[in-house]
Amino acid sequence: MGSASLLAAIAILALGLWTDVHVELPGQLAIGAVVWALFLGMIAPLPASERRLYLACVAVATAGELFLSLVWGLYTYRLGNVPMFVPPGHALMLMLGLSLARRMPESVARAVLGGAGAYTVLAACYGLDTLAVPLYLMLAVSVLSLPGHMRLFASSFVLTLTLELYGTTLGNWTWYREVPWVGLVTTNPPAIAGAFYCTLHALALAFLLLQKNKKTAAMATP
């Protein structure tokens, strides 16, 4: 992602969330249409493999949002739905994560992930955020499964924590203190919420890798 596209993605996310809290459903649908149009326009010139990566991210994000918000009830959006701009917003976050990862030294990535681990232990011990434990395990599985993308996971973690703080401060969505079904507690937002995003990115990357392996196997078959 070039500098112009990077700034465009940041502006789309920031402005879209700010606008969302000032409109009702028709306005929210309009925001969603604009974000979708901009997202599709941004991926149109990309190679087919990269387009598949971002579209896979959107597909998994849609399923994840429906489950986490509407079924599990971890958090709720302002209008009680899943806004149409959220799934492509996840793909934009992946774009930003990949861009930042190329600029992030590995030592910084290790410090970010290590700091998240230290927070998890302290927050769980003091009963502040016991949901952090399974979330950090999800993050660890993503990193261990795709160690070559450690900087992506670290950059995504930082970016998504920033996004979560911005969105919850504005009132776009709210995380509940009591976690349904499992008897855990968390904060609004959870400091380890980035683990959800990192898992999403890991699944999208795994899908792309699977597609490449299938293509390689097909080409090798006489």
PDB file of all heavy atoms in Angstrom, residues 87-112:
ATOM      1  N   PRO A  87     -17.464  -5.099   7.778  1.00  0.00           N
ATOM      2  CA  PRO A  87     -16.644  -6.122   7.095  1.00  0.00           C
ATOM      3  C   PRO A  87     -15.546  -5.549   6.193  1.00  0.00           C
ATOM      4  O   PRO A  87     -14.374  -5.958   6.320  1.00  0.00           O
ATOM      5  CB  PRO A  87     -17.684  -6.930   6.313  1.00  0.00           C
ATOM      6  CG  PRO A  87     -18.938  -6.794   7.117  1.00  0.00           C
ATOM      7  CD  PRO A  87     -18.905  -5.380   7.611  1.00  0.00           C
ATOM      8  N   PRO A  88     -15.853  -4.585   5.291  1.00  0.00           N
ATOM      9  CA  PRO A  88     -14.737  -4.024   4.510  1.00  0.00           C
ATOM     10  C   PRO A  88     -13.761  -3.250   5.372  1.00  0.00           C
ATOM     11  O   PRO A  88     -12.575  -3.136   5.038  1.00  0.00           O
ATOM     12  CB  PRO A  88     -15.434  -3.111   3.489  1.00  0.00           C
ATOM     13  CG  PRO A  88     -16.753  -2.780   4.099  1.00  0.00           C
ATOM     14  CD  PRO A  88     -17.137  -4.005   4.866  1.00  0.00           C
ATOM     15  N   GLY A  89     -14.250  -2.727   6.506  1.00  0.00           N
ATOM     16  CA  GLY A  89     -13.346  -2.048   7.428  1.00  0.00           C
ATOM     17  C   GLY A  89     -12.280  -2.984   7.963  1.00  0.00           C
ATOM     18  O   GLY A  89     -11.125  -2.592   8.160  1.00  0.00           O
ATOM     19  N   HIS A  90     -12.640  -4.238   8.192  1.00  0.00           N
ATOM     20  CA  HIS A  90     -11.657  -5.226   8.637  1.00  0.00           C
ATOM     21  C   HIS A  90     -10.573  -5.432   7.571  1.00  0.00           C
ATOM     22  O   HIS A  90      -9.392  -5.588   7.901  1.00  0.00           O
ATOM     23  CB  HIS A  90     -12.343  -6.555   8.945  1.00  0.00           C
ATOM     24  CG  HIS A  90     -12.979  -6.605  10.292  1.00  0.00           C
ATOM     25  ND1 HIS A  90     -12.245  -6.718  11.457  1.00  0.00           N
ATOM     26  CD2 HIS A  90     -14.284  -6.551  10.684  1.00  0.00           C
ATOM     27  CE1 HIS A  90     -13.055  -6.743  12.494  1.00  0.00           C
ATOM     28  NE2 HIS A  90     -14.308  -6.637  12.058  1.00  0.00           N
ATOM     29  N   ALA A  91     -10.985  -5.470   6.313  1.00  0.00           N
ATOM     30  CA  ALA A  91     -10.001  -5.638   5.235  1.00  0.00           C
ATOM     31  C   ALA A  91      -9.082  -4.423   5.144  1.00  0.00           C
ATOM     32  O   ALA A  91      -7.881  -4.553   4.876  1.00  0.00           O
ATOM     33  CB  ALA A  91     -10.718  -5.873   3.907  1.00  0.00           C
ATOM     34  N   LEU A  92      -9.642  -3.236   5.377  1.00  0.00           N
ATOM     35  CA  LEU A  92      -8.808  -2.036   5.392  1.00  0.00           C
ATOM     36  C   LEU A  92      -7.799  -2.096   6.533  1.00  0.00           C
ATOM     37  O   LEU A  92      -6.646  -1.663   6.382  1.00  0.00           O
ATOM     38  CB  LEU A  92      -9.680  -0.783   5.526  1.00  0.00           C
ATOM     39  CG  LEU A  92     -10.574  -0.441   4.334  1.00  0.00           C
ATOM     40  CD1 LEU A  92     -11.464   0.754   4.661  1.00  0.00           C
ATOM     41  CD2 LEU A  92      -9.743  -0.160   3.093  1.00  0.00           C
ATOM     42  N   MET A  93      -8.213  -2.653   7.674  1.00  0.00           N
ATOM     43  CA  MET A  93      -7.277  -2.817   8.785  1.00  0.00           C
ATOM     44  C   MET A  93      -6.162  -3.787   8.424  1.00  0.00           C
ATOM     45  O   MET A  93      -5.012  -3.605   8.833  1.00  0.00           O
ATOM     46  CB  MET A  93      -8.019  -3.309  10.033  1.00  0.00           C
ATOM     47  CG  MET A  93      -8.951  -2.285  10.650  1.00  0.00           C
ATOM     48  SD  MET A  93      -8.106  -0.771  11.183  1.00  0.00           S
ATOM     49  CE  MET A  93      -7.056  -1.419  12.487  1.00  0.00           C
ATOM     50  N   LEU A  94      -6.488  -4.823   7.644  1.00  0.00           N
ATOM     51  CA  LEU A  94      -5.450  -5.749   7.184  1.00  0.00           C
ATOM     52  C   LEU A  94      -4.472  -5.032   6.265  1.00  0.00           C
ATOM     53  O   LEU A  94      -3.256  -5.229   6.349  1.00  0.00           O
ATOM     54  CB  LEU A  94      -6.091  -6.939   6.476  1.00  0.00           C
ATOM     55  CG  LEU A  94      -5.128  -7.958   5.846  1.00  0.00           C
ATOM     56  CD1 LEU A  94      -4.119  -8.484   6.865  1.00  0.00           C
ATOM     57  CD2 LEU A  94      -5.921  -9.113   5.216  1.00  0.00           C
ATOM     58  N   MET A  95      -4.992  -4.184   5.376  1.00  0.00           N
ATOM     59  CA  MET A  95      -4.117  -3.396   4.503  1.00  0.00           C
ATOM     60  C   MET A  95      -3.168  -2.535   5.326  1.00  0.00           C
ATOM     61  O   MET A  95      -1.962  -2.474   5.066  1.00  0.00           O
ATOM     62  CB  MET A  95      -4.953  -2.489   3.593  1.00  0.00           C
ATOM     63  CG  MET A  95      -5.743  -3.179   2.523  1.00  0.00           C
ATOM     64  SD  MET A  95      -6.575  -1.946   1.480  1.00  0.00           S
ATOM     65  CE  MET A  95      -7.601  -3.012   0.476  1.00  0.00           C
ATOM     66  N   LEU A  96      -3.725  -1.865   6.330  1.00  0.00           N
ATOM     67  CA  LEU A  96      -2.900  -1.017   7.182  1.00  0.00           C
ATOM     68  C   LEU A  96      -1.874  -1.842   7.946  1.00  0.00           C
ATOM     69  O   LEU A  96      -0.714  -1.433   8.098  1.00  0.00           O
ATOM     70  CB  LEU A  96      -3.785  -0.256   8.166  1.00  0.00           C
ATOM     71  CG  LEU A  96      -4.637   0.876   7.593  1.00  0.00           C
ATOM     72  CD1 LEU A  96      -5.631   1.382   8.633  1.00  0.00           C
ATOM     73  CD2 LEU A  96      -3.754   2.018   7.120  1.00  0.00           C
ATOM     74  N   GLY A  97      -2.299  -3.007   8.447  1.00  0.00           N
ATOM     75  CA  GLY A  97      -1.387  -3.870   9.189  1.00  0.00           C
ATOM     76  C   GLY A  97      -0.212  -4.324   8.346  1.00  0.00           C
ATOM     77  O   GLY A  97       0.941  -4.315   8.794  1.00  0.00           O
ATOM     78  N   LEU A  98      -0.488  -4.713   7.118  1.00  0.00           N
ATOM     79  CA  LEU A  98       0.579  -5.147   6.211  1.00  0.00           C
ATOM     80  C   LEU A  98       1.532  -3.997   5.900  1.00  0.00           C
ATOM     81  O   LEU A  98       2.751  -4.186   5.820  1.00  0.00           O
ATOM     82  CB  LEU A  98      -0.020  -5.698   4.917  1.00  0.00           C
ATOM     83  CG  LEU A  98      -0.713  -7.067   5.040  1.00  0.00           C
ATOM     84  CD1 LEU A  98      -1.543  -7.359   3.799  1.00  0.00           C
ATOM     85  CD2 LEU A  98       0.324  -8.162   5.260  1.00  0.00           C
ATOM     86  N   SER A  99       0.973  -2.803   5.729  1.00  0.00           N
ATOM     87  CA  SER A  99       1.806  -1.640   5.431  1.00  0.00           C
ATOM     88  C   SER A  99       2.698  -1.289   6.614  1.00  0.00           C
ATOM     89  O   SER A  99       3.904  -1.049   6.451  1.00  0.00           O
ATOM     90  CB  SER A  99       0.914  -0.450   5.064  1.00  0.00           C
ATOM     91  OG  SER A  99       1.693   0.683   4.756  1.00  0.00           O
ATOM     92  N   LEU A 100       2.123  -1.259   7.816  1.00  0.00           N
ATOM     93  CA  LEU A 100       2.916  -0.937   9.006  1.00  0.00           C
ATOM     94  C   LEU A 100       3.944  -2.023   9.300  1.00  0.00           C
ATOM     95  O   LEU A 100       5.059  -1.721   9.759  1.00  0.00           O
ATOM     96  CB  LEU A 100       1.990  -0.752  10.210  1.00  0.00           C
ATOM     97  CG  LEU A 100       2.668  -0.441  11.552  1.00  0.00           C
ATOM     98  CD1 LEU A 100       3.485   0.840  11.458  1.00  0.00           C
ATOM     99  CD2 LEU A 100       1.633  -0.331  12.668  1.00  0.00           C
ATOM    100  N   ALA A 101       3.592  -3.270   9.027  1.00  0.00           N
ATOM    101  CA  ALA A 101       4.507  -4.385   9.311  1.00  0.00           C
ATOM    102  C   ALA A 101       5.817  -4.236   8.545  1.00  0.00           C
ATOM    103  O   ALA A 101       6.889  -4.585   9.049  1.00  0.00           O
ATOM    104  CB  ALA A 101       3.844  -5.711   8.962  1.00  0.00           C
ATOM    105  N   ARG A 102       5.736  -3.710   7.327  1.00  0.00           N
ATOM    106  CA  ARG A 102       6.955  -3.541   6.525  1.00  0.00           C
ATOM    107  C   ARG A 102       7.866  -2.478   7.100  1.00  0.00           C
ATOM    108  O   ARG A 102       9.061  -2.436   6.784  1.00  0.00           O
ATOM    109  CB  ARG A 102       6.570  -3.193   5.083  1.00  0.00           C
ATOM    110  CG  ARG A 102       5.974  -4.358   4.311  1.00  0.00           C
ATOM    111  CD  ARG A 102       5.838  -4.041   2.828  1.00  0.00           C
ATOM    112  NE  ARG A 102       4.725  -3.143   2.569  1.00  0.00           N
ATOM    113  CZ  ARG A 102       3.485  -3.535   2.308  1.00  0.00           C
ATOM    114  NH1 ARG A 102       3.192  -4.839   2.278  1.00  0.00           N
ATOM    115  NH2 ARG A 102       2.540  -2.660   2.051  1.00  0.00           N
ATOM    116  N   ARG A 103       7.315  -1.618   7.948  1.00  0.00           N
ATOM    117  CA  ARG A 103       8.093  -0.529   8.533  1.00  0.00           C
ATOM    118  C   ARG A 103       8.491  -0.809   9.983  1.00  0.00           C
ATOM    119  O   ARG A 103       9.230  -0.032  10.577  1.00  0.00           O
ATOM    120  CB  ARG A 103       7.276   0.770   8.477  1.00  0.00           C
ATOM    121  CG  ARG A 103       6.912   1.225   7.072  1.00  0.00           C
ATOM    122  CD  ARG A 103       5.831   2.307   7.103  1.00  0.00           C
ATOM    123  NE  ARG A 103       5.591   2.936   5.813  1.00  0.00           N
ATOM    124  CZ  ARG A 103       4.847   2.439   4.851  1.00  0.00           C
ATOM    125  NH1 ARG A 103       4.262   1.256   5.015  1.00  0.00           N
ATOM    126  NH2 ARG A 103       4.681   3.079   3.718  1.00  0.00           N
ATOM    127  N   MET A 104       7.975  -1.889  10.548  1.00  0.00           N
ATOM    128  CA  MET A 104       8.183  -2.183  11.966  1.00  0.00           C
ATOM    129  C   MET A 104       9.391  -3.091  12.167  1.00  0.00           C
ATOM    130  O   MET A 104       9.434  -4.198  11.622  1.00  0.00           O
ATOM    131  CB  MET A 104       6.936  -2.861  12.557  1.00  0.00           C
ATOM    132  CG  MET A 104       7.073  -3.248  14.030  1.00  0.00           C
ATOM    133  SD  MET A 104       5.596  -4.059  14.692  1.00  0.00           S
ATOM    134  CE  MET A 104       4.508  -2.639  14.889  1.00  0.00           C
ATOM    135  N   PRO A 105      10.382  -2.681  12.954  1.00  0.00           N
ATOM    136  CA  PRO A 105      11.514  -3.565  13.261  1.00  0.00           C
ATOM    137  C   PRO A 105      11.033  -4.792  14.038  1.00  0.00           C
ATOM    138  O   PRO A 105      10.059  -4.722  14.797  1.00  0.00           O
ATOM    139  CB  PRO A 105      12.426  -2.688  14.129  1.00  0.00           C
ATOM    140  CG  PRO A 105      12.009  -1.290  13.842  1.00  0.00           C
ATOM    141  CD  PRO A 105      10.542  -1.345  13.555  1.00  0.00           C
ATOM    142  N   GLU A 106      11.701  -5.906  13.853  1.00  0.00           N
ATOM    143  CA  GLU A 106      11.292  -7.131  14.533  1.00  0.00           C
ATOM    144  C   GLU A 106      11.379  -6.976  16.051  1.00  0.00           C
ATOM    145  O   GLU A 106      10.568  -7.550  16.785  1.00  0.00           O
ATOM    146  CB  GLU A 106      12.162  -8.303  14.073  1.00  0.00           C
ATOM    147  CG  GLU A 106      11.680  -9.642  14.615  1.00  0.00           C
ATOM    148  CD  GLU A 106      12.361 -10.817  13.945  1.00  0.00           C
ATOM    149  OE1 GLU A 106      12.713 -10.718  12.761  1.00  0.00           O
ATOM    150  OE2 GLU A 106      12.545 -11.847  14.634  1.00  0.00           O
ATOM    151  N   SER A 107      12.351  -6.195  16.521  1.00  0.00           N
ATOM    152  CA  SER A 107      12.482  -6.000  17.969  1.00  0.00           C
ATOM    153  C   SER A 107      11.254  -5.303  18.544  1.00  0.00           C
ATOM    154  O   SER A 107      10.812  -5.614  19.655  1.00  0.00           O
ATOM    155  CB  SER A 107      13.738  -5.173  18.276  1.00  0.00           C
ATOM    156  OG  SER A 107      13.685  -3.907  17.617  1.00  0.00           O
ATOM    157  N   VAL A 108      10.691  -4.377  17.781  1.00  0.00           N
ATOM    158  CA  VAL A 108       9.475  -3.685  18.230  1.00  0.00           C
ATOM    159  C   VAL A 108       8.299  -4.653  18.246  1.00  0.00           C
ATOM    160  O   VAL A 108       7.480  -4.647  19.169  1.00  0.00           O
ATOM    161  CB  VAL A 108       9.172  -2.478  17.321  1.00  0.00           C
ATOM    162  CG1 VAL A 108       7.827  -1.847  17.685  1.00  0.00           C
ATOM    163  CG2 VAL A 108      10.282  -1.438  17.425  1.00  0.00           C
ATOM    164  N   ALA A 109       8.230  -5.498  17.222  1.00  0.00           N
ATOM    165  CA  ALA A 109       7.152  -6.489  17.162  1.00  0.00           C
ATOM    166  C   ALA A 109       7.203  -7.417  18.375  1.00  0.00           C
ATOM    167  O   ALA A 109       6.168  -7.718  18.994  1.00  0.00           O
ATOM    168  CB  ALA A 109       7.248  -7.291  15.869  1.00  0.00           C
ATOM    169  N   ARG A 110       8.398  -7.861  18.721  1.00  0.00           N
ATOM    170  CA  ARG A 110       8.543  -8.742  19.887  1.00  0.00           C
ATOM    171  C   ARG A 110       8.146  -8.011  21.170  1.00  0.00           C
ATOM    172  O   ARG A 110       7.519  -8.591  22.069  1.00  0.00           O
ATOM    173  CB  ARG A 110       9.989  -9.236  19.987  1.00  0.00           C
ATOM    174  CG  ARG A 110      10.379 -10.194  18.867  1.00  0.00           C
ATOM    175  CD  ARG A 110      11.788 -10.722  19.072  1.00  0.00           C
ATOM    176  NE  ARG A 110      12.187 -11.598  17.981  1.00  0.00           N
ATOM    177  CZ  ARG A 110      11.859 -12.892  17.913  1.00  0.00           C
ATOM    178  NH1 ARG A 110      11.152 -13.451  18.892  1.00  0.00           N
ATOM    179  NH2 ARG A 110      12.255 -13.625  16.886  1.00  0.00           N
ATOM    180  N   ALA A 111       8.499  -6.731  21.261  1.00  0.00           N
ATOM    181  CA  ALA A 111       8.150  -5.953  22.447  1.00  0.00           C
ATOM    182  C   ALA A 111       6.631  -5.788  22.568  1.00  0.00           C
ATOM    183  O   ALA A 111       6.073  -5.875  23.674  1.00  0.00           O
ATOM    184  CB  ALA A 111       8.825  -4.585  22.391  1.00  0.00           C
ATOM    185  N   VAL A 112       5.960  -5.561  21.448  1.00  0.00           N
ATOM    186  CA  VAL A 112       4.503  -5.405  21.459  1.00  0.00           C
ATOM    187  C   VAL A 112       3.834  -6.684  21.940  1.00  0.00           C
ATOM    188  O   VAL A 112       2.971  -6.674  22.831  1.00  0.00           O
ATOM    189  CB  VAL A 112       3.984  -5.033  20.057  1.00  0.00           C
ATOM    190  CG1 VAL A 112       2.460  -5.170  19.990  1.00  0.00           C
ATOM    191  CG2 VAL A 112       4.400  -3.616  19.688  1.00  0.00           C
TER     192      VAL A 112
END
